[in-house]
Amino acid sequence: MDRIPCNTCYTEDFRPLFSKASSRGETFRIVECKRCGLVQVNPQPSPGEVAKYYEDSYFTRRTDRGYDDYYSESTKREISRVYNLNLGDLDFFTWEKNLGPSKTALDVGCAAGYFLDYLRDRDWQAKGLDIASGPVAFAVNELKLDVEQTDFLTWDPAGTKQFDLITLWASLEHLHYPKQTLEKILLHLKPGGRLILSTCRYGLLARTLGPKWRYLNVPEHLYYYSLDGIEKLCMELGYLPLSHISYGSGLTMRKNAGWKFKVSKKISDWAVKFFDQGDMMALSFGKTKY
């Protein structure tokens, strides 16, 4: 466990919020940067220590942190449905129509490659990177996708490979070096290219629920950005904010849910999206530095 400076502004002045136990019973401290407001796990475990939380059971056994069989066709369909909704809200399809026939994309933290498969069906040339061996093996062997098991920060360090689209779907919060990742993505974006990212949002719902907030999964999630915080960071790095959406009321659909729960969820999900207070957010950025 290392005490580290804030990844956004590099200060070491933090306001303690609370502590939270992991699925293995280890306790982690959640703090807020006094200068820029980034909420984070600090001190942080090393990448090697965090890796033990990503054993393949994370993808195959339902917990409050993992999936209910991530490799199932039903999970793939649900994830693709969310992609489609987010991309529609971000006006991706209008932009996509103006690209030439050789559209290229890179998905950082691609897991089993479901977004690559989604893009392949739309005639994109798509590549994925991830560090988890199980999902990468599934992407390569079962879906026949172009996926490498590697760390993005050490992959093609000169930025020679260029893409029209780079995505970070629910990956940024997992990274030890999110700012450096965003900086490196700029090297790989073509002029006129786009970055699309989604991440959990530290906003009204997170502050209200505190340690009970559904995305406070430690140490898998290391950083918790506010909407203003992620937009400001990306602008400082050289991105142009194009559009964003927030969604998710915290009511997670469960099997055999009654009609009252379903109605409550539908109304709550609509309300947080309408008032821009959801605890998930998806954002689209252009590139201002060439």
Side-chain angles (χ1 to χ4, degrees):
M1 296 284 288
D2 296 318
R3 182 180 172 86
I4 60 170
C6 173
N7 186 254
T8 290
C9 69
Y10 305 117
T11 186
E12 295 188 26
D13 193 9
F14 299 105
R15 179 184 302 106
L17 297 181
F18 40 76
S19 295
K20 181 73 182 287
S22 74
S23 59
R24 292 172 175 259
E26 299 171 310
T27 300
F28 296 90
R29 190 177 65 156
I30 311 300
V31 302
E32 182 177 26
C33 177
K34 289 184 178 180
R35 180 185 295 172
C36 71
L38 178 61
V39 175
Q40 55 202 275
V41 174
N42 205 341
Q44 280 189 6
S46 68
E49 283 298 306
V50 174
K52 65 187 180 183
Y53 285 86
Y54 293 103
E55 296 172 349
D56 213 45
S57 60
Y58 177 83
F59 297 94
T60 58
R61 187 180 68 247
R62 179 67 189 178
T63 66
D64 62 341
R65 292 167 164 82
Y67 297 89
D68 184 9
D69 192 0
Y70 178 75
Y71 304 114
S72 69
E73 186 62 30
S74 61
T75 298
K76 180 184 175 185
R77 286 196 303 269
E78 174 59 20
I79 292 175
S80 295
R81 183 185 71 85
V82 174
Y83 289 150
N84 208 55
L85 289 172
N86 284 174
L87 293 175
D89 288 329
L90 296 175
D91 203 26
F92 167 83
F93 302 115
T94 301
W95 172 74
E96 181 189 41
K97 289 178 182 178
N98 295 321
L99 295 175
S102 300
K103 303 182 292 290
T104 58
L106 176 69
D107 189 18
V108 179
C110 68
Y114 292 153
F115 187 61
L116 305 179
D117 192 55
Y118 177 94
L119 289 179
R120 181 168 60 184
D121 290 341
R122 302 183 66 84
D123 297 321
W124 284 74
Q125 299 172 32
K127 181 178 185 64
L129 306 175
D130 205 285
I131 61 172
S133 59
V136 169
F138 182 88
V140 172
N141 299 325
E142 300 298 325
L143 299 182
K144 311 302 180 186
L145 296 166
D146 180 8
V147 174
E148 288 185 43
Q149 185 181 354
T150 188
D151 184 343
F152 171 67
L153 288 178
T154 60
W155 175 82
D156 186 25
T160 59
K161 297 179 176 62
Q162 300 282 297
F163 302 88
D164 296 296
L165 171 69
I166 299 180
T167 52
L168 283 164
W169 293 108
S171 298
L172 196 68
E173 64 270 23
H174 293 263
L175 304 177
H176 278 77
Y177 305 104
K179 182 177 181 179
Q180 291 81 353
T181 298
L182 292 168
E183 287 177 317
K184 187 170 187 288
I185 284 173
L186 276 173
L187 295 177
H188 297 280
L189 270 182
K190 293 179 182 179
R194 289 198 178 184
L195 163 66
I196 291 179
L197 69 86
S198 68
T199 186
C200 49
R201 175 187 180 184
Y202 204 85
L204 176 63
L205 291 175
R207 293 188 182 280
T208 300
L209 294 172
K212 295 182 179 179
W213 181 43
R214 62 174 175 164
Y215 289 121
L216 201 69
N217 300 334
V218 294
E220 297 97 322
H221 293 176
L222 296 170
Y223 292 99
Y224 304 91
Y225 290 91
S226 67
L227 175 59
D228 289 343
I230 190 62
E231 287 188 333
K232 182 179 179 181
L233 171 60
C234 287
M235 289 174 67
E236 289 174 350
L237 293 176
Y239 291 97
L240 174 67
L242 298 174
S243 59
H244 81 268
I245 186 173
S246 73
Y247 60 97
S249 63
L251 296 179
T252 304
M253 183 55 71
R254 48 186 184 240
K255 292 180 179 179
N256 304 316
W259 69 269
K260 290 184 179 179
F261 178 86
K262 292 179 180 178
V263 171
S264 296
K265 174 176 168 55
K266 186 173 183 178
I267 294 173
S268 298
D269 287 348
W270 172 86
V272 297
K273 187 174 183 180
F274 181 82
F275 291 106
D276 199 16
Q277 294 298 327
D279 65 357
M280 276 292 294
M281 54 185 174
L283 305 97
S284 176
F285 296 92
K287 179 179 179 179
T288 60
K289 293 182 180 179
Y290 301 114

